[in-house]
Amino acid sequence: MKRNILITGGAGFIGSHVVRLFVGKYPDCRIVNLDRLTYAGNLANLRDVENRPNYTFVKGDICDYDAMRSLFAEYDIDGVIHLAAESHVDRSIRDPFTFAWTNVMGTLTLLQAAREHWNGTWEGRRFHHISTDEVYGALPFDGTLFTEQTRYDPHSPYSASKASSDHFVRAFHDTYGFPAVVTNCSNNYGPYQFPEKLIPLFINNIRHEKPLPVYGRGENIRDWLYVEDHARAIDTIFHRGRDGETYNIGGFNEWRNIDLIRVIIRTVDRLLGRPEGASEKLITYVTDRAGHDLRYAIDSRKLKEELGWEPSLQFEEGIEKTVRWYLANQEWMDDITSGEYERYYQEMYTGR
Ligand code: NAD
Ligand code: DAU
């Protein structure tokens, strides 16, 4: 059992769910959440755990080598779950440098700090790197799935930076015997997701009767997984996965964007007491995302067969929970859709 676990990016969407799970499930472990609090980091995501005795928040940058070395020493970190990253594909198209810096150099910095602190004693230590299915590129509409053997073929600056970070993690394992594991997950959805991503953006826009910007013809396919199922998978692999291995995580739950958008519209309209389909008129087809990957779909059989994990939530239930959460937490949404995000949104979707 690891005693002092560092979770990077714990104030973000997925990270906050991982922090919540670990703080509650492992009261005898110290959970250190290291986050720079970029536009995507939000301590309001963790209000319910912030006063727990086994939880510590540290504001810091994974690219700051001296700070990371001090952090490992101060808390005698023996396990790392590394989620901190720039995570939004559209932003990476506009600003690739930030993605290379944070995702590649930040990961390398953290690896070096861990290697130095652990100093060749790998027993009882683990570095779990959280990555994405986007590193595998795009699939045709033919039913094939990404497996752990699929060749890396990233297309966006985001996925190229994540692919590079994955390679550094494996290089540390292969070169130094460093105790690392990599997981590649499909699209997550659920509470606390920053509303630049499809599902929270569209729920909020439907509520406010704003246009729903569908890229291209809305035919691209994504494989959606409820975020708490991802957090459970991370817990399983962090504790029981094998060093040097990769595990794919996914929901076997493919949706064409336009079909998913119609489910969201129906759900929001119903919960707001609007006539069925009232918000269909908000669908607005816009210029496609540059280099938009056609289809992602994960084969997560290895994880199921080796470690017994599988998704717990049916998609219909997950979407219902998610929409209800955003509608009930309008204040959370309002706090982050003002200020800097408002400027980003205006530029992104209205060109002004
Ligand atoms: P997010 O953007 O919601 O959160 C990222 C967090 O990292 C934020 O709290 C931010 O403040 C922090 N951060 C950014 N730069 C930092 C730095 N230099 N130092 C310290 N903290 C920094 O992202 P997310 O959607 O929760 O994704 C988390 C991880 O999971 C990422 O590595 C992402 O690539 C991966 N992932 C995401 C999905 C998904 O669907 N969202 C799917 C698969 C994998
Ligand atoms: O597959 C895992 C990845 O999923 C993660 O690694 C990324 O961090 C995460 O952001 C997500 O990437 P996507 O690009 O798939 O997610 P996004 O929510 O941005 O878009 C989902 C789909 O919806 C995609 O095909 C683009 C489309 N889209 C998105 C937005 C924001 C639209 O049509 N309109 C939009 O306004």
Side-chain angles (χ1 to χ4, degrees):
M1 173 65 94
K2 317 280 175 295
R3 288 168 298 112
N4 299 313
I5 301 171
L6 172 65
I7 299 180
T8 70
F13 166 49
I14 302 171
S16 64
H17 289 275
V18 178
V19 166
R20 182 173 296 100
L21 176 67
F22 274 61
V23 166
K25 189 168 172 186
Y26 302 108
D28 296 335
C29 296
R30 176 191 287 281
I31 308 301
V32 180
N33 171 13
L34 181 276
D35 199 296
R36 189 162 78 89
L37 299 182
T38 67
Y39 78 94
N42 185 358
L43 290 177
N45 296 357
L46 289 164
R47 285 280 175 262
D48 53 329
V49 299
E50 64 188 7
N51 294 321
R52 302 285 273 274
N54 63 333
Y55 172 70
T56 304
F57 173 71
V58 178
K59 185 169 190 285
D61 188 337
I62 54 167
C63 300
D64 182 341
Y65 183 52
D66 291 338
M68 292 307 101
R69 289 173 64 201
S70 305
L71 186 79
F72 273 83
E74 182 177 351
Y75 294 100
D76 192 18
I77 298 297
D78 51 10
V80 179
I81 302 176
H82 173 40
L83 298 111
E86 289 292 336
S87 69
H88 191 42
V89 174
D90 293 325
R91 286 185 189 250
S92 81
I93 294 167
R94 293 152 61 102
D95 176 20
F97 276 119
T98 302
F99 282 69
W101 189 249
T102 297
N103 297 356
V104 185
M105 288 307 293
T107 300
L108 178 56
T109 303
L110 211 56
L111 286 165
Q112 270 290 77
R115 185 167 82 90
E116 189 176 284
H117 184 67
W118 295 342
N119 195 24
T121 304
W122 308 137
E123 188 60 35
R125 272 80 191 254
R126 166 147 286 173
F127 189 105
H128 183 159
H129 177 60
I130 307 302
S131 191
T132 169
D133 59 0
E134 300 201 11
V135 298
Y136 297 125
L139 291 164
F141 295 130
D142 65 355
T144 49
L145 303 173
F146 295 134
T147 72
E148 288 81 1
Q149 279 72 48
T150 302
R151 195 174 71 87
Y152 272 34
D153 184 21
H155 297 141
S156 72
Y158 164 69
S159 53
S161 69
K162 291 296 292 188
S164 172
S165 66
D166 295 7
H167 289 318
F168 269 108
V169 176
R170 289 200 190 95
F172 266 56
H173 173 267
D174 296 351
T175 306
Y176 310 113
F178 185 80
V181 65
V182 177
T183 54
N184 297 83
C185 189
S186 64
N187 285 63
N188 285 217
Y189 71 100
Y192 301 112
Q193 187 167 31
F194 196 83
E196 63 193 349
K197 308 282 165 63
L198 180 77
I199 291 182
L201 173 69
F202 277 35
I203 294 172
N204 197 39
N205 282 11
I206 297 166
R207 181 187 187 121
H208 295 291
E209 299 186 78
K210 287 181 15 187
L212 306 175
V214 180
Y215 298 165
R217 299 303 307 158
E219 280 165 358
N220 304 64
I221 290 179
R222 297 291 181 265
D223 175 359
W224 294 93
L225 180 68
Y226 193 68
V227 63
E228 289 178 3
D229 276 331
H230 187 190
R232 276 196 312 106
I234 290 171
D235 179 25
T236 302
I237 296 160
F238 177 73
H239 286 104
R240 296 198 287 117
R242 287 181 291 139
D243 279 341
E245 290 291 317
T246 292
Y247 296 88
N248 280 354
I249 309 171
F252 289 109
N253 180 40
E254 292 179 51
W255 285 82
R256 250 187 358 148
N257 287 344
I258 192 64
D259 298 330
L260 171 68
I261 289 161
R262 293 211 159 94
V263 170
I264 297 169
I265 290 173
R266 273 201 302 280
T267 311
V268 178
D269 280 347
R270 173 169 51 77
L271 292 173
L272 290 179
R274 294 180 186 162
E276 191 176 330
S279 301
E280 293 260 342
K281 61 177 186 296
L282 300 174
I283 291 176
T284 309
Y285 292 97
V286 299
T287 310
D288 207 355
R289 174 184 278 174
H292 197 173
D293 286 334
L294 208 54
R295 172 173 168 259
Y296 303 143
I298 277 280
D299 182 345
S300 55
R301 277 178 303 174
K302 173 178 173 181
L303 176 55
K304 181 173 179 199
E305 283 159 16
E306 219 176 270
L307 301 175
W309 175 92
E310 53 187 334
S312 68
L313 216 63
Q314 291 297 313
F315 186 63
E316 291 66 26
E317 197 187 331
I319 274 290
E320 178 85 17
K321 268 177 87 156
T322 301
V323 173
R324 282 183 186 276
W325 188 88
Y326 285 100
L327 295 182
N329 288 276
Q330 191 58 39
E331 205 178 314
W332 178 90
M333 183 65 90
D334 290 345
D335 280 350
I336 52 180
T337 50
S338 55
E340 189 198 334
Y341 174 74
E342 182 58 27
R343 283 192 293 282
Y344 163 82
Y345 186 84
Q346 287 296 330
E347 267 179 52
M348 186 72 202
Y349 294 110
T350 68
R352 278 184 281 120

